[in-house]
Amino acid sequence: MLKKIKKLAALVTAAVLVAAVFSGCSSKPGAEMTEENITATVDTVFEALVNFDVDDLGTYVDSSTLNTVMSYAEKYEQFQELGKAIFASLEYEIEEINIDEATVTLTVYNKDLYDIALEFVDDLLDKYSLLQLLTKLSSESWLDDNLSDLTQKIDDAVMNVAGTEITLDIEQKSDNLVLSFDTEAEDGVSGGALGAIKQIYS
């Protein structure tokens, strides 16, 4: 009987330890302005960019151009795949965390995508008025024909070995920290793609 109790106690202890490990792995970054939470937030944001996870991006990122792309990605899988293609090769290094200034400075690496995206955007603006283009962006067949070509060109693009330094402002919300991406930061993480895409809306 005593052996059975000891075995049961060992199993319960092991289960508790396993649960603690998994809960620790899946825990989200906290809202306090600490180096640990800032680092965890950066890691979460860049993982969300690579996977183009619109839920996490919506929670942890403030970016006007990304928000526009994400709003389409929530409705159309073609934009989801485009987002994944843009950020698939994204890498980063945290250079400095400044808690007093509420900023984090990073060096980011991605493919050089500006010319590819700009050529695509210029071609669209030559063919369509802005109103026509916004209508096309809600057509599944049009998205299949056009975004798949852009996504393929992005997949074939060459990595830019020179990193880009960006500084992100950190906003403290009640439940989490939010990283703010200005135009320079948007271009840095997207290899220039977001800057080109922004011309459609500007």
Side-chain angles (χ1 to χ4, degrees):
M1 182 69 178
L2 185 59
K3 285 183 179 180
K4 287 183 178 180
I5 293 174
K6 285 183 178 180
K7 284 182 180 179
L8 182 59
L11 286 172
V12 170
T13 302
V16 169
L17 288 173
V18 168
V21 168
F22 279 104
S23 65
C25 291
S26 62
S27 63
K28 296 294 184 179
E32 293 181 38
M33 193 73 73
T34 64
E35 281 202 19
E36 181 180 2
N37 283 338
I38 293 169
T39 299
T41 301
V42 169
D43 292 341
T44 299
V45 165
F46 277 78
E47 181 179 356
L49 284 169
V50 170
N51 297 318
F52 213 65
D53 182 334
V54 294
D55 291 331
D56 276 353
L57 290 174
T59 301
Y60 297 101
V61 169
D62 178 23
S63 162
S64 59
T65 312
L66 262 177
N67 288 345
T68 300
V69 176
M70 287 189 301
S71 69
Y72 281 100
E74 288 177 330
K75 300 174 185 175
Y76 305 105
E77 184 180 351
Q78 296 91 339
F79 276 95
Q80 181 80 22
E81 295 305 314
L82 177 62
K84 288 179 181 179
I86 289 172
F87 298 107
S89 300
L90 179 62
E91 298 176 3
Y92 66 99
E93 296 173 7
I94 297 177
E95 303 294 349
E96 180 185 14
I97 293 173
N98 190 325
I99 293 176
D100 293 333
E101 296 292 331
T103 60
V104 56
T105 300
L106 309 98
T107 301
V108 294
Y109 305 84
N110 202 344
K111 294 179 177 181
D112 189 356
L113 302 177
Y114 179 75
D115 289 339
I116 293 170
L118 183 62
E119 181 182 359
F120 176 78
V121 169
D122 284 345
D123 185 53
L124 292 183
L125 294 177
D126 284 341
K127 290 179 179 176
Y128 309 105
S129 69
L130 181 57
L131 183 59
Q132 289 173 325
L133 183 55
L134 291 176
T135 302
K136 295 291 184 184
L137 292 177
S138 61
S139 165
E140 292 277 0
S141 60
W142 187 90
L143 291 174
D144 283 337
D145 292 340
N146 289 271
L147 289 194
S148 59
D149 181 53
L150 175 59
T151 300
Q152 185 59 56
K153 288 180 179 178
I154 289 173
D155 288 341
D156 295 338
V158 177
M159 191 74 178
N160 188 349
V161 295
T164 301
E165 187 173 279
I166 62 172
T167 298
L168 307 176
D169 290 329
I170 307 165
E171 185 180 356
Q172 190 172 20
K173 300 283 191 177
S174 58
D175 295 328
N176 56 273
L177 302 176
V178 173
L179 304 184
S180 296
F181 286 71
D182 59 15
T183 299
E184 183 180 351
E186 288 177 346
D187 278 349
V189 295
S190 68
L194 291 181
I197 292 171
K198 193 172 187 175
Q199 296 190 38
I200 295 177
Y201 308 98
S202 61

